[in-house]
Amino acid sequence: MPPGDTGNGRGQPRGGPDEAGPEAGARRRTRSVLRASWWSGRAGALAAWAKAFHAGLETRFPVITRLVDRMLSVNIFDSATRLAAQCFLTAIPLIFVIAAYAPTAVRDQLVGSVSAVFGLSGASKAQLEQAFSPTSNELKQATGVVGGLMVLLSATAVSRAMQRLCKRAWQIPRAGTKIAPWRWVAWIGLWLGVLVMQEPLRKGFGLGAWLGVPLTLVTLTSLWWWTQHLLLGGLIGWRPLLPGAVITAIASTCLSLTAHFYMPRALNRALTEYGSAGSVFVLLSWLIVVCVAVAIGISVGAVLAQEPFLAHRLGTPTSSPGGAVRR
């Protein structure tokens, strides 16, 4: 066969002119991309790479990878949004109940405390005072004792949402871990009592913010410590719950200080431009931010308490009630 003859007698490469050169390679690649097998292979390769990358990170940075895994399992933003929505839906009926039945001194104290928490002034504070203003007997008759009790019972939806968050953070399964319902009511009652005392607490009982800020931090640490223990039904000991309480209290205190600079301006502007609907949006947005901080703080505390360095010092159990092994 003469040189250059590839078998077709015309000097063309075997297989025809359509299968030679860079254009043919491009066409073959295009046909491959259109096949489901090609995409399946690529997805498998990407999944294998992701697993190897995760394993490498877990070896080098075990705490960080466990934190990320816990955040994903808790579903931080979904849990926080649900919790914020429940808080908001609970707050409005409670305002009417308190306005109808609470003594004047309690109403005035609550107005001052809410104003102290958010730093309210101007139109937003005036609207709050109007909501808690003394009411006639018509509102009491419309609300009724039974209606007030139903509002308090429905408020336990917030307790249940917080309980689910704590269980997810500590990887406690739902099956076999029932919690007594009275804990939901007790949690709501204590938080209402603490809310009423926020004004004197933040002012350091008249001595100033230099005492008020540390007192607020200590109070919130105690509250979040007790919250986890109460809503988990004592399934986790006191000491392992302390890191989450401290982290959540620090985050809550920082957000509370930030609220004094943001909330008054935002609420007054929203009331001026959009009316009450604007204030609803601002309050709900701020509640979501606070609940995200709470969800992150409790989850991070749970992971840190299960790390070997702290686990044997805090007495953290190696497995959750129900058999879910903690890493």
Side-chain angles (χ1 to χ4, degrees):
M1 184 178 295
D5 189 355
T6 57
N8 57 8
R10 291 178 293 180
Q12 296 293 339
R14 188 179 301 276
D18 292 339
E19 299 183 8
E23 294 182 359
R27 283 192 293 271
R28 285 194 296 269
R29 286 193 295 270
T30 302
R31 287 195 295 269
S32 299
V33 169
L34 295 177
R35 295 174 182 170
S37 59
W38 186 87
W39 288 103
S40 177
R42 288 284 178 171
L46 182 61
W49 176 85
K51 290 181 180 179
F53 182 73
H54 183 273
L57 285 179
E58 191 169 17
T59 302
R60 296 180 181 180
F61 311 103
V63 178
I64 295 177
T65 53
R66 280 195 271 275
L67 283 174
V68 173
D69 291 343
R70 191 65 56 87
M71 297 294 176
L72 294 175
S73 64
V74 171
N75 200 350
I76 291 295
F77 292 101
D78 180 67
S79 299
T81 303
R82 291 174 182 270
L83 183 60
Q86 292 291 350
C87 289
F88 188 79
L89 292 174
T90 299
I92 294 179
L94 279 177
I95 286 176
F96 287 106
V97 171
I98 294 173
Y101 290 101
T104 303
V106 175
R107 288 198 299 264
D108 294 341
Q109 183 63 53
L110 190 57
V111 169
S113 294
V114 174
S115 301
V117 171
F118 294 108
L120 300 182
S121 61
S124 57
K125 187 173 182 179
Q127 190 175 54
L128 180 66
E129 291 173 348
Q130 183 180 2
F132 284 97
S133 60
T135 58
S136 62
N137 291 328
E138 294 180 359
L139 180 58
K140 293 183 179 181
Q141 294 174 358
T143 305
V145 177
V146 176
L149 291 175
M150 292 302 296
V151 168
L152 292 176
L153 290 177
S154 65
T156 59
V158 182
S159 307
R160 296 194 297 271
M162 179 61 69
Q163 184 184 67
R164 287 192 295 270
L165 172 61
C166 294
K167 281 187 174 183
R168 288 180 180 178
W170 282 95
Q171 295 183 325
I172 297 176
R174 294 183 179 180
T177 55
K178 295 182 179 181
I179 308 299
W182 67 265
R183 296 174 181 269
W184 303 335
V185 180
W187 186 77
I188 289 290
L190 183 63
W191 274 94
L192 283 175
V194 172
L195 178 60
V196 172
M197 295 301 297
Q198 283 299 297
E199 183 182 25
L201 183 67
R202 291 173 183 270
K203 293 181 179 180
F205 296 97
L207 296 179
W210 66 271
L211 179 61
V213 173
L215 280 177
T216 300
L217 182 60
V218 172
T219 302
L220 288 177
T221 300
S222 303
L223 277 173
W224 287 115
W225 199 9
W226 176 80
T227 290
Q228 295 178 84
H229 192 269
L230 178 76
L231 296 181
L232 291 177
L235 297 174
I236 306 295
W238 282 101
R239 288 189 298 170
L241 299 174
L242 183 58
V246 172
I247 296 171
T248 307
I250 292 174
S252 302
T253 303
C254 292
L255 285 174
S256 178
L257 296 175
T258 306
H260 285 251
F261 300 98
Y262 170 74
M263 291 299 288
R265 297 180 179 87
L267 283 172
N268 291 334
R269 184 169 58 251
L271 285 171
T272 302
E273 296 180 0
Y274 305 105
S276 299
S279 62
V280 168
F281 176 77
V282 172
L283 286 172
L284 185 57
S285 301
W286 185 255
L287 276 175
I288 291 175
V289 173
V290 173
C291 291
V292 167
V294 170
I296 292 176
I298 293 176
S299 301
V300 171
V303 172
L304 294 180
Q306 292 170 341
E307 289 301 307
F309 177 76
L310 291 176
H312 73 279
R313 291 174 171 81
L314 299 175
T316 306
T318 57
S319 61
S320 63
V325 178
R326 298 195 190 118
R327 293 183 298 176

